Amino acid sequence: ARAAAKAPGSSAGTSQPVVADLAAVLDQQGETVTPLSPSGYVSLQGRQYEAFSQSGYLAKGVAVRVTGLDNFRLIVTKNQTSS
């Protein structure tokens, strides 16, 4: 039998990539840790997640905002800051 996909707490000791909880990450700000072309990795709340860029290619170190979740990847867009 397969274990439940949503285990309580953190599974930091496993080799599985972190799967985000959409409610916890939606509209959160993060930063690319690899180029997104259009997939790669972002850092968010001190953790790394696999992500897909809706803005096309993004270089490493670009500020992004989470707009959704697609299976195991975050959907991100370039953060347009007006300040």
Side-chain angles (χ1 to χ4, degrees), residues 6-42:
K6 198 161 192 170
S10 172
S11 55
T14 70
S15 61
Q16 292 291 331
V18 180
V19 175
D21 173 23
L22 180 60
V25 298
L26 188 62
D27 277 329
Q28 294 296 310
Q29 317 282 329
E31 184 177 289
T32 59
V33 293
T34 66
L36 301 189
S37 59
S39 293
Y41 286 87
V42 298

Side-chain angles (χ1 to χ4, degrees), residues 32-69:
T32 59
V33 293
T34 66
L36 301 189
S37 59
S39 293
Y41 286 87
V42 298
S43 176
L44 185 73
Q45 301 167 339
R47 303 172 89 171
Q48 282 193 27
Y49 298 97
E50 189 167 345
F52 175 84
S53 168
Q54 287 185 308
S55 306
Y57 177 84
L58 294 177
K60 180 180 175 185
V62 173
V64 293
R65 184 174 55 82
V66 177
T67 59
L69 193 59

